[in-house]
Amino acid sequence: IRRRAEGSQALEGWQPPAWGAAMGGRKVFEFTYVEYEEGSLIAKLAAVVTLTPNLAAFGLFSAFVVTRRLAWLWAFAGAVGVDLLCSALKHVIKEPRPEGSYRKGPGMPSEHAAFAAFCATHLSLWVARRVRCGPRLKALAWIALGVWAAAVAASRHLLGVHTAAQLVVGALIGVGSGAAWFGLEAALRGPVLAPLQRRLDRVWAWLDIRFDDCCGGDNGKDHR
């Protein structure tokens, strides 16, 4: 994250150290690169919020690793697929970003808006159809997911990297893809996903990987 007031000045006339030059120069890692207006708390918060889709992707994949439930991997694959789809559409549509944007290249549709809307829609359907809890907890989850997706889209507009139209189109792609991905999961659960899950469980049992509960829960039983 770089404060915008100092960003351009810091890069002007900047020379890499000798070891950097020897390695062929340096380049910005755009996957997590954000600029915001110096002195603005709202802009700083927007810079943090705009990075949360990266954390969400990591969280989905981590959930699969920890629980070994294919449903998490399915959600992760769908979210990444939507992101790649929007990236491809950008190079087809070639609509520029707002004037003055620190990000280069086309901006239609917004990958961030699509990713967040996909996750919010897909996980909201999970909560509605597959999670057993009280209606208040479900409503709280739906509100939290919706507010997060809206905050991600708003952060991209506030940081000046997307127009409102680019964000709306991205969000619509995310909502539609999230619902379709959930429906496809339901259709494939019996013939494809359930057998794969059982096979994964058998492989894990064959590996016989265990860990002890450090807190002494379950009467000291080990877990697989």
Side-chain angles (χ1 to χ4, degrees):
I1 298 177
R2 182 186 295 276
R3 290 174 292 184
R4 189 171 298 170
E6 66 180 21
S8 58
Q9 297 176 0
L11 291 175
E12 289 179 0
W14 179 85
Q15 296 293 330
W19 60 268
M23 296 176 63
R26 299 165 72 106
K27 184 178 180 179
V28 170
F29 184 57
E30 295 186 0
F31 189 66
T32 56
Y33 183 75
V34 182
E35 285 188 10
Y36 67 94
E37 294 294 338
E38 184 176 17
S40 172
L41 178 59
I42 294 178
K44 190 173 185 178
L45 290 175
V48 174
V49 171
T50 204
L51 293 175
T52 56
N54 300 340
L55 300 178
F58 179 79
L60 290 174
F61 189 76
S62 298
F64 164 69
V65 172
V66 172
T67 66
R68 303 178 302 281
R69 298 297 93 186
L70 288 177
W72 292 113
L73 185 60
W74 181 265
F76 172 79
V80 172
V82 167
D83 189 84
L84 294 175
L85 172 63
C86 289
S87 180
L89 288 175
K90 282 182 177 180
H91 292 88
V92 173
I93 301 174
K94 296 181 179 180
E95 180 178 300
R97 295 178 184 270
E99 185 177 355
S101 170
Y102 69 89
R103 296 298 300 267
K104 305 303 179 183
M108 172 67 84
S110 168
E111 295 172 58
H112 281 72
F115 184 98
F118 173 93
C119 290
T121 302
H122 190 73
L123 297 179
S124 291
L125 291 171
W126 265 14
V127 171
R129 301 288 184 86
R130 301 176 60 182
V131 175
R132 298 181 181 179
C133 65
R136 292 183 180 179
L137 284 178
K138 288 191 175 188
L140 181 62
W142 293 331
I143 292 172
L145 289 167
V147 168
W148 170 68
V152 170
S155 73
R156 303 303 286 173
H157 187 66
L158 183 62
L159 294 171
V161 294
H162 283 294
T163 64
Q166 292 168 355
L167 293 167
V168 169
V169 172
L172 290 175
I173 291 175
V175 171
S177 299
W181 199 245
F182 184 85
L184 183 60
E185 179 187 15
L188 296 178
R189 186 180 308 162
V192 178
L193 296 179
L196 283 177
Q197 183 64 67
R198 289 192 294 268
R199 181 171 297 181
L200 177 61
D201 293 339
R202 287 196 297 269
V203 170
W204 190 260
W206 176 78
L207 292 173
D208 196 29
I209 299 176
R210 307 168 184 235
F211 67 92
D212 294 328
D213 191 336
C214 64
C215 300
D218 296 329
N219 297 321
K221 295 180 180 178
D222 58 10
H223 298 265
R224 299 188 180 188

